[in-house]
Amino acid sequence: MTQPTSTEMIHSARERFNSAIATKNADIIKTLLAPNYHLITGRSAQFHGAEEEGIRWSELFHADPTAVYRRTPREVTANESWGIAQEIGSWQGSYTAEGILVHASGVYAAKWQRTKNGVWMLQAEVFTTLVCEGPCDPPDPI
C-alpha cells in the first residue's frame, strides 16, 4: 500500500478543517493546530495559540450559528527534508452581522509543519479579505 504524499496529507487535513467548520466542531479544529498557532484574520485581527483559537471557534459557533467558512487550496508546496509546507488558496464565508447575512471572500496563505509522528499541523494562517457584501467593518488603521 502506498503512503499518501505530504501534499495529499495537507489537502486531507484542510478538508477536515472545512468539515469541522461546517459541523461546528471546535474540538476537531484544535487538533489541526500547532500549539503555537498564529492567525491574522481577513480584518487584520491577530490571535495566538491553539487553545485560544479553539475557544474562539467555539464561541463563534455558539454566538452565530449561520457562520460558515471554506478554504479551497490552489497550491501546496512542501519542503520534505525540513517538514514544512506552504498552502495558498481562496476562502469564502458567511456570517450574520447586525441581523444581516454577510458574504466575504478572499485569499489566504498557510504554513504547515510536520510533527515527529508525521502529522501535518497548521503553524500559521494569514487571510486577506478581497470582497465583503453586507455590513462589513474594515480593519482598524495601523
Side-chain angles (χ1 to χ4, degrees), residues 70-135:
R70 180 160 186 83
R71 283 83 164 182
T72 304
R74 277 195 317 267
E75 182 181 335
V76 175
T77 307
N79 178 333
E80 293 295 341
S81 63
W82 286 19
I84 57 176
Q86 175 179 276
E87 170 193 1
I88 57 173
S90 302
W91 66 270
Q92 59 184 351
S94 59
Y95 57 92
T96 300
E98 301 172 22
I100 299 169
L101 193 61
V102 176
H103 297 281
S105 61
V107 294
Y108 72 93
K111 181 172 182 183
W112 294 81
Q113 188 165 353
R114 190 173 50 220
T115 67
K116 293 177 184 177
N117 298 329
V119 176
W120 285 95
M121 300 188 82
L122 277 163
Q123 190 175 23
E125 292 181 289
V126 177
F127 294 88
T128 302
T129 302
L130 299 177
V131 175
C132 192
E133 300 167 348

Side-chain angles (χ1 to χ4, degrees), residues 33-89:
L33 307 177
N36 62 348
Y37 171 81
H38 191 80
L39 168 70
I40 301 176
T41 70
R43 293 190 60 250
S44 297
Q46 295 188 40
F47 300 95
H48 187 76
E51 287 296 323
E52 180 181 340
E53 191 62 11
I55 292 168
R56 278 184 6 88
W57 278 107
S58 183
E59 289 173 351
L60 173 66
F61 295 150
H62 179 74
D64 183 2
T66 69
V68 66
Y69 295 89
R70 180 160 186 83
R71 283 83 164 182
T72 304
R74 277 195 317 267
E75 182 181 335
V76 175
T77 307
N79 178 333
E80 293 295 341
S81 63
W82 286 19
I84 57 176
Q86 175 179 276
E87 170 193 1
I88 57 173

Side-chain angles (χ1 to χ4, degrees), residues 12-28:
S12 177
R14 177 56 72 194
E15 191 50 42
R16 285 194 308 279
F17 200 121
N18 284 331
S19 179
I21 294 171
T23 60
K24 314 288 190 238
N25 192 327
D27 292 333
I28 290 176

